[in-house]
């Protein structure tokens, strides 16, 4: 094969897409087993995979898809019904395919022992063919004695009396009778189609009197590689040969003139009745095939046009390039900030106009770049139906997964990261949440449990929620376990509301499962889940009613790198508070501050909220300016339904900034999520307000 | 130099054919990812030859073939098929396709078909 490396990337990309299509449509099919149009789509994906796999030389992949395709073909032509067993085997083979593609993507050769799956697929085919084949085998048995005949020497052909008469008559009318032996290339794959082409060519210049083996067998590919056609034609011998040679995949053509006078003694007795048949049955059979081909095609066509409207023109861009583009743009944003500052200092009309215009355009540009990186969460969600299906089978539970808002978009970087934690959460819901069917019925619930996975936009955030109608979380058990594991002490516990108590489950080293299954007992706890979401600038909360179900809610930022912040000043240092966390800003008189539980609080719109003195937390020196001030400037921030007031010296204003990480040396700085470069070249630290609210 | 329009919904397959053809000094008139694009591009570029995949979304290769031949009776179209599509290939030949090649493609076979059709 040709240099493969250049195709490999495209191959992997497209294969993964097709695998996804396979999975999606298979799930649909399972829900609506009668909808044959879905099978058409599934077939098409399997088919393309086969072609690509074979071209790349991934034998096992091609072999497996080929068998898969055969089964699908039977379903498509309604020769097999979609039973749960059939679906299991098909899913299993898709799993195998997935493994192979993953292996290939990881640099492997994609080889895999597919025999077991292939055997299952073959068993499916055979089971269904047995019925249909019963009659066919009988017919084949009659045909088979003919085989040895055709393997004899070249251009041996015998004619019965009727055929000889026809040949003779046409000869007398000025036509030449020829017998043509044609040998196909040994690698010819669609032999019947080749034969059809040859017949087509010959029929353009003459009439076909006979073929050996008969046309039926040729169409059914019941021949090795060569066959003999007798034809009457007005063209010359050599021209006839050249015309046939125009068809590809033919290794040899020999044309001979039939001697019509010569009597053929033995021939008559060997094939007396068979000979007449092909002449008549051939056209009939051919028409039949045309019919079936046509209906086949129109079926496909109608199925295809439905999907067509959804297709958009797209190009593939490596995500690295988008990252580079993003980085360059970030640099531009920093310079833009600097320019804005310079222009406001110089106070030159033309300059400020130009800068303003540039700011506006770069704002648009930013939106486009960010949008380019946005992908629907469907990318992550689409693998869950499969997972839930196999999981519920494994656990003997009956679970229905409902997905909504799959079109909600998120930054690609975030999409890449949230897959695993979501898998974990859904597994949790099914493993620990949804009860066994009999338990459910005993509790007066329907036997089928529901897990609802939803995504939606809200402000600058995307929420992903996983809700189940399972058993819910046992609060007492959570309390007991947290105390046992020292996650919390009793004093703190008393102050906690239900949601905070449930939140303890996200503390490290926590598992409320009564027995460890291989699904959730993998050693990855909910703390890892929480950490992942928090690193992405999000958070997770859980709420539950014991006996009725639980709701895990994940909040995620739309995008990572460029964020809106409120710049504040503390002493001579500048800090940015992400706008997404800010409820509002306020200025309060110092004598409105009270002390409660050794904590400074204020009464704010009827709520008692704690104050956080950033100058103490960050140990800001040199705060001359703030002294003697009668007022506190506050930034009120929220985390879930908890709020706090951050005390700063002054509020500067809202800015778009590029969030840069602090690098690996400073990865765990308390309450700081990163830094940014301001227009005047100063560095401002970006606060992680979630860490400041307890 | 003869120009070829490549039609296949898998860009991977298009790359393969393109590679084979360009190595043999053919011009690529264009690439289409479905039947409708193929018809449009044919009208636009008037290529000497088309390689046409059969199973494609939106409009399959046979429908596209028929449409192209209706407008350009002399068009030379080679169908690209996979094993198991015998009846569709026959349907295509009947509709006027000049030849067919079977996936997985082998360069010499593709060129054999192309040269026979062009010769």
């Amino acid at each position: 094969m040709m240099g493969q490396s250049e195709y490999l990337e495209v191959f992997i990309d497209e294969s993964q897409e097709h695998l996804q299509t396979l999975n999606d449509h298979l799930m649909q099919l399972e829900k609506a087993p009668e909808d044959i149009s879905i099978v058409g789509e599934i077939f098409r994906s399997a088919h393309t995979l086969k072609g690509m796999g074979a071209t790349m030389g991934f034998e096992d992949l091609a072999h497996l898809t080929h068998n898969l395709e055969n089964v699908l073909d039977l379903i498509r032509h309604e020769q097999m019904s979609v039973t749960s067993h059939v679906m299991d085997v098909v899913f299993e083979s898709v799993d195998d395919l997935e493994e192979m593609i993953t292996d290939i993507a990881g640099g492997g050769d994609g080889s895999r022992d597919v025999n077991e799956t292939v055997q299952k697929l073959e068993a499916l085919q055979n089971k269904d063919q047995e019925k249909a084949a019963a009659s066919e085998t009988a017919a084949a048995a009659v045909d088979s004695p003919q085989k040895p005949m055709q393997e004899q020497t070249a251009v041996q052909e015998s004619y019965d009396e009727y055929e000889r008469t026809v040949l003779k008559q046409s000869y007398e009318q000025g036509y030449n009778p020829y017998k043509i032996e044609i040998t196909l290339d040994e690698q010819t794959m669609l032999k019947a189609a080749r034969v059809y082409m040859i017949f087509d060519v010959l029929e353009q210049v003459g009439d076909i009197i006979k073929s050996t083996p008969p046309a039926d067998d040729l169409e059914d590919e019941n021949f090795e590689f060569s066959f003999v056609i007798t034809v009457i034609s007005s063209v010359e011998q050599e021209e006839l040969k050249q015309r046939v040679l125009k068809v590809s995949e033919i290794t040899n053509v020999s044309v001979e003139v039939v001697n019509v006078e010569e009597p053929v003694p033995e021939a008559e007795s060997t094939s007396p009745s068979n000979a007449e048949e092909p002449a008549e049955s051939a056209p009939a059979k051919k028409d039949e095939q045309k019919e079936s081909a046509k209906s086949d095609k129109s079926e496909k066509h109608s199925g295809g046009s439905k999907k067509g409207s959804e297709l958009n023109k797209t190009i593939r861009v490596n995500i690295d390039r988008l990252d580079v583009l993003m980085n360059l743009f970030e640099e531009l944003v920093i310079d833009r900030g600097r320019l804005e500052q310079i222009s406001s200092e110089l106070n030159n009309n033309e300059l400020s106009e130009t800068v303003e215009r540039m700011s506006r355009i770069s704002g648009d540009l930013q939106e486009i770049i960010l949008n380019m990186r946005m992908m629907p969460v469907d990318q992550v969600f689409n693998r869950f139906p499969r997972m839930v299906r196999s999981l519920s089978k494994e656990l003997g539970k009956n679970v229905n997964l409902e997905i909504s808002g799959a079109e909600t978009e998120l930054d690609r970087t975030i999409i890449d990261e949230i897959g695993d934690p979501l898998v974990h959460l859904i597994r949790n819901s099914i493993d620990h949440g949804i009860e066994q069917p009999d338990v459910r019925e005993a509790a007066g619930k329907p036997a089928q449990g529901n897990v609802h996975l939803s995504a939606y936009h809200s402000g600058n955030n995307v929420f992903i929620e996983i809700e189940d109608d399972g058993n819910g979380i046992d609060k007492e058990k959570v309390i007991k376990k947290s105390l046992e594991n020292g996650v919390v002490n009793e004093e703190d516990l008393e102050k906690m509301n239900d949601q905070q108590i449930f939140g303890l489950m996200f503390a490290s080293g926590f598992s409320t499962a009564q027995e460890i299954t291989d699904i959730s007992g993998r050693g990855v706890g909910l703390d890892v889940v929480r950490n992942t979401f928090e690193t992405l600038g999000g958070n997770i909360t859980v709420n539950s009613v014991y006996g009725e179900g639980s709701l895990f809610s994940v909040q995620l930022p739309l995008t990572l790198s460029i964020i809106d912040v409120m710049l504040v000043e503390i002493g001579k240092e500048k800090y940015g508070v992400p706008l997404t966390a800010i409820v509002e800003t306020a200025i309060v008189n110092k004598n409105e501050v009270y002390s409660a539980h050794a904590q400074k609080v204020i009464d704010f719109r009827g709520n008692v909220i704690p104050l956080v003195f950033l100058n103490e937390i960050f140990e800001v020196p040199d705060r001359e300016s703030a002294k003697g001030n009668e007022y506190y400037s506050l930034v009120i921030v929220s985390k879930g339904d908890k709020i706090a007031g951050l005390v700063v010296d002054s509020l500067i204003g809202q800015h778009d900034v590029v969030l840069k990480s602090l690098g690996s040396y400073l990865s765990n700085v308390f309450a700081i999520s990163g830094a940014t470069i301001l227009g005047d070249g100063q560095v401002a630290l970006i606060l992680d307000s979630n860490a400041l609210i307890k | 130099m003869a120009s070829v329009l490549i039609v296949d919904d898998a860009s991977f397959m298009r790359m393969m054919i393109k590679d084979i053809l360009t190595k043999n000094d053919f011009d690529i008139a264009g690439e289409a990812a479905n039947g409708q694009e193929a018809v449009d591009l044919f009208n636009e570029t008037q290529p000497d030859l088309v390689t046409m995949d059969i199973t494609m979304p939106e409009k399959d290769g046979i429908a596209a073939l028929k449409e192209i031949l209706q407008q350009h009776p002399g068009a030379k179209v080679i169908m690209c098929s996979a094993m198991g599509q015998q009846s569709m290939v026959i349907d295509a030949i009947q509709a006027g396709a000049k030849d067919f090649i079977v996936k997985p493609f082998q360069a010499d076979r593709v060129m054999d078909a192309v040269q026979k059709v062009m010769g």
Side-chain angles (χ1 to χ4, degrees):
Chain A
M1 208 67 270
M2 16 188 17
Q4 292 188 345
S5 57
E6 45 187 316
Y7 305 118
L8 199 58
E9 206 173 311
V10 186
F11 169 78
I12 292 168
D13 269 9
E14 282 196 328
S15 301
Q16 280 163 347
E17 272 172 27
H18 283 294
L19 279 177
Q20 195 50 56
T21 320
L22 277 175
N23 273 327
D24 288 353
H25 286 111
L26 283 173
M27 293 304 294
Q28 282 177 27
L29 181 66
E30 195 170 39
K31 285 191 187 121
E34 299 80 30
D35 194 346
I36 298 300
S37 70
I38 302 176
V39 187
E41 293 294 316
I42 299 171
F43 182 84
R44 198 161 62 80
S45 288
H47 184 75
T48 311
L49 262 180
K50 180 179 81 172
M52 299 199 304
T55 309
M56 292 296 286
F58 298 124
E59 301 291 339
D60 290 340
L61 192 130
H63 185 49
L64 182 58
T65 34
H66 180 68
N67 279 284
L68 178 61
E69 202 187 287
N70 286 343
V71 170
L72 291 171
D73 204 40
L74 288 175
I75 301 176
R76 188 169 62 160
H77 292 106
E78 299 181 39
Q79 286 162 10
M80 186 191 286
S81 48
V82 185
T83 61
S84 163
H85 175 65
V86 171
M87 289 307 288
D88 283 349
V89 174
V90 171
F91 272 130
E92 196 177 310
S93 31
V94 174
D95 282 343
D96 273 351
L97 291 177
E98 230 166 322
E99 295 274 338
M100 286 188 257
I101 302 288
T102 313
D103 180 49
I104 293 165
D109 58 1
S111 63
R112 183 179 167 84
D113 183 8
V114 293
N115 282 335
E116 199 185 323
T117 319
V118 167
Q119 271 166 16
K120 284 185 192 166
L121 286 169
E122 276 171 352
L124 281 183
Q125 294 169 49
N126 292 337
K127 207 193 291 167
D128 247 83
Q129 273 171 349
E130 262 164 36
K131 301 169 217 152
S135 53
E136 273 175 33
T137 42
V142 176
D143 284 345
S144 54
Q146 285 189 329
K147 269 203 166 169
M149 265 180 66
Q150 84 213 19
E151 281 164 18
Q152 286 172 7
T153 48
V155 207
Q156 283 284 336
E157 184 65 298
S158 54
Y159 305 99
D160 64 13
E161 202 177 333
Y162 168 76
E163 288 161 350
R164 269 207 311 279
T165 319
V166 173
L167 291 174
K168 204 167 172 180
Q169 277 176 5
S170 43
Y171 178 70
E172 280 159 8
Q173 285 166 16
Y175 291 100
N176 299 318
Y178 296 112
K179 48 184 176 181
I180 310 166
E181 187 184 28
I182 296 164
T183 310
L184 294 182
D185 190 294
E186 283 184 18
Q187 288 174 25
T188 304
M189 270 182 284
L190 300 180
K191 289 195 286 186
R194 271 309 153 209
V195 171
Y196 181 90
M197 284 185 76
I198 293 163
F199 272 53
D200 205 39
V201 166
L202 291 174
E203 273 165 357
Q204 282 170 16
V205 291
D207 284 320
I208 293 168
I209 304 297
K210 179 178 185 177
S211 72
T212 304
D216 287 22
D217 284 348
L218 291 178
E219 274 167 21
D220 292 345
E221 304 195 342
N222 279 333
F223 66 105
E224 291 290 305
F225 296 105
S226 54
F227 52 95
V228 180
I229 297 174
T230 307
V231 68
I232 46 171
S233 169
S234 55
V235 302
E236 292 299 314
Q237 192 170 344
E238 186 56 29
E239 190 191 337
L240 199 62
K241 184 175 178 175
Q242 288 312 318
R243 278 180 180 261
V244 175
L245 274 174
K246 272 262 164 179
V247 177
S248 33
E249 294 191 302
I250 292 177
T251 48
N252 191 32
V253 178
S254 57
V255 182
E256 264 178 45
V257 179
V258 182
N259 185 352
V260 290
E261 304 299 337
E262 181 189 306
V264 185
E266 295 147 283
E268 274 161 276
S269 56
T270 45
S271 57
S273 60
N274 253 12
E276 212 168 317
E277 242 178 88
E280 276 174 48
S281 67
K285 176 80 193 245
K286 216 183 275 176
D287 281 349
E288 219 172 81
Q289 193 158 4
K290 283 174 205 164
E291 278 313 299
S292 75
K294 257 177 215 155
S295 63
D296 197 283
K297 190 212 66 193
S298 57
E299 222 181 274
K300 272 225 107 139
H301 193 62
S302 62
S305 57
K306 240 183 282 165
K307 199 193 165 200
S309 52
E310 293 165 21
L311 288 171
N312 278 326
K313 278 196 178 172
T314 52
I315 55 161
R316 268 171 214 284
V317 179
N318 193 321
I319 183 78
D320 291 346
R321 285 205 204 172
L322 286 186
D323 285 343
V324 172
L325 181 62
M326 189 69 180
N327 280 335
L328 288 175
F329 184 74
E330 285 168 359
E331 298 295 322
L332 200 65
V333 170
I334 293 169
D335 285 342
R336 180 186 73 190
R338 197 164 293 172
L339 252 180
E340 277 168 350
Q341 185 155 1
I342 294 169
S343 100
S344 75
E345 277 164 17
L346 289 181
N347 212 2
N348 175 315
N349 253 353
E350 274 178 57
L351 178 65
S352 39
E353 255 173 50
T354 319
V355 169
E356 220 168 84
R357 219 179 110 73
M358 207 189 87
S359 302
R360 216 167 37 238
I361 291 172
S362 76
D364 292 347
L365 193 59
Q366 174 177 337
E367 202 162 304
I368 290 171
I369 293 176
L370 289 181
N371 273 332
M372 242 161 39
R373 300 173 52 90
M374 297 296 249
M375 293 171 89
V377 280
D378 191 38
Q379 292 276 335
V380 183
F381 283 9
N382 58 24
R383 60 170 136 142
F384 295 144
R386 271 303 305 283
M387 192 189 89
V388 170
R389 182 187 186 273
S390 52
L391 205 57
S392 39
K393 285 220 162 186
E394 210 173 293
L395 295 169
K397 292 178 180 177
N398 190 348
V399 184
N400 171 43
L401 176 71
E402 211 179 304
I403 292 182
S404 61
E407 70 288 345
T408 313
E409 290 190 321
L410 268 172
D411 191 280
R412 163 79 194 242
T413 344
I414 299 175
I415 295 265
D416 285 347
E417 296 292 328
I418 59 173
D420 291 337
L422 284 180
V423 165
H424 194 79
L425 288 176
I426 291 174
R427 281 186 157 148
N428 252 315
S429 285
I430 294 170
D431 197 19
H432 306 318
I434 305 288
E435 313 91 328
Q436 296 290 342
D438 49 330
V439 180
R440 288 182 65 86
E441 276 174 341
K445 295 183 190 176
Q448 187 176 51
N450 278 302
V451 174
H452 185 194
L453 176 65
S454 60
Y456 59 91
H457 265 263
S458 172
N460 254 336
N461 290 295
V462 166
F463 286 86
I464 297 177
E465 294 183 346
I466 298 154
E467 189 172 13
D468 67 69
D469 64 352
N471 195 36
I473 300 166
D474 186 345
K475 191 173 123 188
E476 295 311 314
K477 220 181 254 175
V478 173
I479 292 175
K480 191 164 158 261
K481 201 109 185 217
S482 328
L483 288 174
E484 267 172 27
N485 294 345
V487 174
V488 71
N489 58 41
E490 292 198 37
E491 197 183 321
D492 288 340
L493 205 56
E494 274 167 31
K495 290 183 230 152
M496 287 181 153
N497 60 24
D498 282 4
Q499 202 181 349
Q500 283 167 321
I501 290 170
F502 293 138
L504 291 174
M505 295 198 303
F506 297 110
S508 31
F510 199 98
S511 170
T512 51
Q514 294 189 328
E515 52 195 286
I516 288 175
T517 65
D518 65 340
I519 289 132
S520 300
R522 285 173 196 241
V524 186
L526 281 173
D527 56 326
V528 178
V529 171
R530 187 201 60 197
N531 280 343
T532 315
F533 289 132
E534 284 185 353
T535 340
L536 293 170
N539 62 60
I540 177 166
T541 55
V542 58
N543 225 330
S544 175
V545 177
Y546 191 51
E548 285 176 28
S550 357
L551 169 68
F552 287 84
S553 177
V554 179
Q555 182 186 352
L556 291 165
L558 272 181
T559 185
L560 287 180
S561 53
I562 297 188
I563 56 171
D564 250 350
V565 297
M566 165 71 82
L567 279 185
V568 298
E569 209 166 18
I570 304 162
K572 282 178 181 160
E573 295 174 6
K574 282 180 180 143
Y575 292 85
V577 186
L579 229 50
T580 49
I582 298 179
V583 181
E584 58 180 303
T585 55
I587 293 174
V588 295
N589 198 301
K590 277 182 179 167
N591 55 31
E592 287 175 49
V593 176
Y594 311 99
S595 282
H597 300 290
Q599 166 82 55
K600 295 214 165 161
V601 297
I602 55 162
D603 181 0
F604 186 72
R605 300 187 202 283
N607 285 328
V608 174
I609 62 167
L611 293 186
V612 178
F613 290 85
L614 292 181
N615 60 305
E616 290 168 16
I617 288 171
F618 297 125
E619 294 166 13
V620 182
D622 188 22
R623 292 180 62 242
E624 295 305 318
S625 59
K627 282 178 188 162
N629 199 332
E630 287 175 44
Y631 298 94
Y632 284 136
S633 295
L634 296 185
V635 180
I636 318 279
V637 291
S638 71
K639 174 191 182 187
D641 44 8
K642 287 166 279 184
I643 50 179
L646 307 182
V647 180
V648 301
D649 290 350
S650 65
L651 305 168
I652 299 172
Q654 182 186 335
H655 280 262
D656 261 5
V657 298
V658 179
L659 183 64
K660 298 275 188 195
S661 84
L662 294 177
S664 47
Y665 279 123
L666 299 170
S667 56
N668 275 320
V669 183
F670 175 72
I672 297 291
S673 58
T676 189
I677 303 165
L678 298 175
D680 57 5
Q682 262 198 67
V683 171
L685 295 174
I686 308 298
L687 297 187
D688 174 11
S689 61
N690 286 340
L692 294 169
I693 304 175
K694 281 163 210 138
Chain B
M1 220 184 323
S3 66
V4 187
L5 171 64
I6 300 174
V7 188
D8 199 310
D9 59 335
S11 64
F12 169 75
M13 281 297 173
R14 293 202 299 273
M15 262 165 84
M16 295 294 289
I17 299 188
K18 191 164 141 183
D19 199 65
I20 293 169
L21 290 173
T22 42
K23 275 182 188 150
N24 285 281
D25 290 335
F26 279 85
D27 264 348
I28 307 303
E31 294 181 34
N34 63 51
Q36 190 52 52
E37 275 182 42
V39 175
D40 296 345
L41 266 176
F42 191 98
N43 290 332
E44 202 178 298
T45 60
Q46 305 273 345
D48 300 312
L49 183 72
V50 182
T51 68
M52 177 85 76
D53 186 27
I54 292 182
T55 23
M56 286 184 296
E58 201 153 342
K59 179 176 280 179
D60 70 22
I62 295 177
L65 166 79
K66 286 180 180 164
E67 214 168 299
I68 289 174
L69 284 173
Q70 207 174 14
Q71 296 167 35
H72 313 272
K76 290 174 177 165
V77 181
I78 296 180
M79 304 308 285
C80 305
S81 116
M83 283 148 73
Q85 291 187 310
Q86 191 108 255
S87 61
M88 292 207 226
V89 170
I90 291 175
D91 201 34
I93 300 292
Q94 209 171 10
K98 296 287 187 240
D99 201 344
F100 65 91
I101 43 181
V102 183
K103 297 173 192 175
F105 296 134
Q106 284 169 20
D108 53 342
R109 212 141 287 242
V110 173
M111 287 320 295
D112 184 39
V114 168
Q115 262 141 13
K116 277 196 165 132
V117 170
M118 294 307 296

